Amino acid sequence: MNRMTHPLFSKHRETLDAALTAIASREYYSAYPESPSPRVYGETAADDGKAAFEALLGKTFEIDQPTAPRHVTTEDSPFGIDLGITYPASDPTELINAAEAAWPAWRAADPATRAGVCLEILHRIHSDVFTLANAVHATTGQAFVMAFQAGGPHALDRGLEAVAYGYAEQTRVPATAYWEKPGGKAGPLAMEKTYHVVPRGVGLVIGCNTFPTWNSYPGLFASLVTGNPVIVKPHPRAVLPLALTVRHARAVLADAGFDPNLVTLAAENPEDGIAEIVAMHPSIKIIDFTGSNSFGEWLEFNARQAQVYTEKAGVNTIVIDSTDNPKGMFNNIAFTLCLYSGQMCTTTQAIFIPRDGIETPDGRLSADDVKAGIVKSVAKLTSDDARAVELIGAIVSPEVVQRVDDAASLGEVLLPSRTVEHPAYPKARVRSPLILGVDAGSSDAYASECFGPVTFLVTTDDTDASLAVVRDVVGREGALTMGVYSTQDGVLDAAVATAIDVNTHLSQNLTAGVFVNQSAAYSDFHGSGGNAAANAALTDGAYVANRFRIVQSRKHVEPRTAE
């Protein structure tokens, strides 16, 4: 492959330019329509995608990559769908060797070529988005519309965002420069300098069960656009979404004239421990991980040869001080707590309420009134099983169901969790949210992540005390989101100060169609990289810039200045 820019860059230049504009302006932008409506995608798109998904069930997933000595079948659908898909379990050393062999031509390509190829991969995935959405739906337990949006267009937007940041950072320094220094009687000194973008090396993306594409696409495309091969290691319970992704990526790379082994799939049995094996290999130079604190911290401490980006667990909070729209507040919070059964890394876990209650336009509400308002709104959203499952989805694993059962002993049960019957999937694991009441002094209950549909309504002495607890808990445990409701400028200013101190993104007085656990690509940062919940932000310049280095070469040339 020569240094000429690939035609795919011209094909997708308009999309890249729009994304570059969006990350600079932070205004609304989306390259991929989020509505699964046939008016947007065509009358047959949904049926075609479902048929393509169903054609994969019970078979070996075909993907042409380095020889696999065995195959694995590991997925457990939260909906009880019998997936039965078998994946090749390639030897990790072979994948690393293949990636290194494929690397030179990709490393030598210019940033525009790599961006063009990445944009074509995103385009190819989008053309198959209904197949992908069904895969996300079946493996994660997300209701279908959420699986389509979060697993498809929103994930693709995050991937495009990473490409835009990667392209911007690589082209921030010019490819060449003429340098001239005045030299007095001896005449000027002149040099020509060339700046080479040097990718870091083989990347490893470790996927999660809940959002296999949304959480993996930023790292995958950030590494790929900056010139690095990538090994994709999916969670054993959610292999298909990333297997489809890798297959599309490999096809595009081959069509573009590159070795498809730049992107490979590392499927495994849970006991295989491939992530640990690959992460410690000296050739692995970049790791992207979403998951538990224990393994994230292990990677940060042990994979010293690699640049490690982690998103782990935290305690997301809301502080309620007062509101001018109690109904809107209750409904907004309830939707947040119910969406995907609280299995989003951004879902609120602890809501702090002053003991003396809050001021509203209709008079003062006691702390018990505030708790009752939240409970009533959640109960209303989940009272009808057929409607509830389209919001709460299914529980991702049996371990989360057990955690919900165990959590009932941690406080006063204000709203018990119940088993919900799914009208379409009789074997589905569906549980309604559990809401508990505790006092601020019971920090052992609420001050560490309790992943799943579990929420603590925490009574504090006053709003100052609420903010103090947030500062303490998030300062130790980390968080991705924080919310505040207040009609007082001083309280809002104090909440902003707290959020800045603990490096957590803050939402103020949300009562309409935006929720504290939602994050919009190109405008909202996901994680700050400044607290224990995540050491990086999706997506900013820091997330991509250390995936490559700049190496310069220089030489003397004749001065351009006339004597």
Side-chain angles (χ1 to χ4, degrees):
M1 178 65 62
N2 60 35
R3 294 286 294 184
M4 292 180 62
T5 297
H6 199 279
L8 286 174
F9 182 74
S10 298
K11 176 181 177 180
H12 297 291
R13 182 62 190 262
E14 185 176 338
T15 300
L16 178 61
D17 285 346
L20 290 167
T21 298
I23 63 174
S25 70
R26 317 305 295 181
E27 295 176 352
Y28 172 78
Y29 172 68
S30 178
Y32 311 99
E34 68 175 3
S35 171
S37 168
R39 292 190 299 273
V40 177
Y41 284 94
E43 292 296 329
T44 67
D47 289 341
D48 292 345
K50 187 173 183 179
F53 162 74
E54 291 176 344
L56 298 169
L57 303 182
K59 298 177 183 176
T60 297
F61 187 87
E62 299 298 335
I63 184 168
D64 180 22
Q65 65 176 39
T67 304
R70 60 193 178 90
H71 289 73
V72 297
T73 307
T74 60
E75 287 163 315
D76 167 34
S77 173
F79 291 114
I81 300 170
D82 185 11
L83 297 171
I85 305 172
T86 298
Y87 301 93
S90 299
D91 180 86
T93 301
E94 285 195 28
L95 295 183
I96 293 170
N97 292 340
E100 291 188 311
W103 189 25
W106 188 245
R107 179 177 56 191
D110 66 314
T113 291
R114 293 197 291 259
V117 173
C118 287
L119 287 160
E120 178 66 15
I121 295 171
L122 291 165
H123 173 74
R124 197 79 61 89
I125 294 169
H126 186 234
S127 69
D128 193 31
V129 69
F130 278 94
T131 309
L132 181 65
N134 278 280
V136 172
H137 169 68
T139 57
T140 68
Q142 294 175 31
F144 182 78
V145 172
M146 182 179 184
F148 179 89
Q149 293 178 337
H154 295 174
L156 292 165
D157 273 330
R158 283 297 188 190
L160 174 57
E161 180 183 49
V163 172
Y165 270 103
Y167 180 78
E169 291 298 326
Q170 289 176 94
T171 55
R172 186 181 301 279
V173 175
T176 61
Y178 172 77
W179 181 90
E180 183 176 295
K181 178 181 179 181
K185 292 182 179 180
L189 288 170
M191 302 196 80
E192 181 182 87
K193 302 185 181 185
T194 303
Y195 302 95
H196 305 273
V197 173
V198 181
R200 184 176 283 273
V202 182
L204 170 65
V205 172
I206 303 173
C208 65
N209 195 172
T210 48
F211 289 90
T213 56
W214 197 97
N215 277 107
S216 295
Y217 281 11
L220 168 60
F221 286 98
S223 284
L224 202 58
V225 76
T226 52
N228 305 284
V230 182
I231 297 170
V232 178
K233 207 295 290 183
H235 191 285
R237 287 198 182 105
V239 183
L240 184 57
L242 290 179
L244 290 167
T245 299
V246 169
R247 191 159 70 180
H248 282 303
R250 291 175 61 81
V252 170
L253 286 162
D255 290 347
F258 293 96
D259 189 329
N261 288 330
L262 288 163
V263 180
T264 55
L265 182 75
E268 63 165 348
N269 282 316
E271 64 272 14
D272 291 345
I274 283 181
E276 294 96 324
I277 296 169
V278 177
M280 294 300 291
H281 195 284
S283 294
I284 297 297
K285 300 300 182 183
I286 305 166
I287 298 173
D288 289 275
F289 168 78
T290 302
S292 68
N293 283 344
S294 58
F295 191 57
E297 290 168 0
W298 184 90
L299 287 169
E300 291 168 348
F301 182 80
N302 290 285
R304 300 296 181 88
Q305 86 289 350
Q307 180 69 36
V308 178
Y309 301 91
T310 60
E311 181 190 312
K312 299 170 290 186
V315 179
N316 302 314
T317 62
I318 290 176
V319 172
I320 300 178
D321 168 75
S322 55
T323 180
D324 60 6
N325 184 356
K327 182 179 180 180
M329 179 183 74
F330 292 143
N331 289 342
N332 193 279
I333 291 174
F335 188 92
T336 294
L337 302 183
C338 291
L339 186 60
Y340 188 30
S341 295
Q343 297 172 117
M344 300 173 68
C345 55
T346 48
T347 299
T348 303
Q349 177 175 301
I351 300 174
F352 298 95
I353 304 163
R355 198 176 308 280
D356 292 337
I358 68 170
E359 291 293 341
T360 78
D362 302 322
R364 192 165 191 85
L365 295 180
S366 69
D368 286 342
D369 291 335
V370 176
K371 295 175 187 177
I374 294 172
V375 167
K376 181 179 178 181
S377 292
V378 170
K380 182 177 180 181
L381 282 175
T382 58
S383 60
D384 179 85
D385 287 2
R387 287 185 300 162
V389 296
E390 298 306 320
L391 176 61
I392 65 178
I395 301 297
V396 73
S397 70
E399 291 81 4
V400 175
V401 173
Q402 186 62 53
R403 187 177 300 121
V404 175
D405 291 341
D406 293 344
S409 64
L410 297 177
E412 177 189 1
V413 176
L414 303 177
L415 182 67
S417 176
R418 66 182 183 88
T419 299
V420 177
E421 298 297 326
H422 199 296
Y425 301 112
K427 296 180 181 179
R429 291 188 295 263
V430 187
R431 297 290 295 272
S432 66
L434 170 67
I435 300 181
L436 301 169
V438 298
D439 191 84
S442 301
S443 59
D444 287 348
Y446 65 82
S448 59
E449 188 193 43
C450 186
F451 180 79
V454 180
T455 304
F456 298 90
L457 305 186
V458 185
T459 305
T460 66
D461 288 340
D462 53 30
T463 299
D464 287 343
S466 297
L467 291 170
V469 175
V470 170
R471 190 184 299 270
D472 175 60
V473 171
V474 177
R476 286 184 286 107
E477 303 293 328
L480 296 177
T481 64
M482 176 182 169
V484 63
Y485 288 90
S486 180
T487 59
Q488 307 299 315
D489 289 342
V491 171
L492 296 177
D493 290 344
V496 170
T498 300
I500 291 171
D501 285 346
V502 297
N503 284 271
T504 301
H505 304 309
L506 175 68
S507 297
Q508 303 179 35
N509 294 322
L510 298 184
T511 57
V514 175
F515 306 93
V516 68
N517 54 340
Q518 293 178 319
S519 175
Y522 316 105
S523 186
D524 294 326
F525 293 110
H526 174 75
S528 69
N531 65 56
N535 71 1
L538 304 180
T539 303
D540 61 4
Y543 185 69
V544 298
N546 212 20
R547 296 171 192 259
F548 66 92
R549 310 308 298 168
I550 298 292
V551 175
Q552 72 172 36
S553 61
R554 57 185 183 173
K555 61 184 179 182
H556 287 296
V557 294
E558 290 297 319
R560 296 177 184 174
T561 303
E563 295 184 1

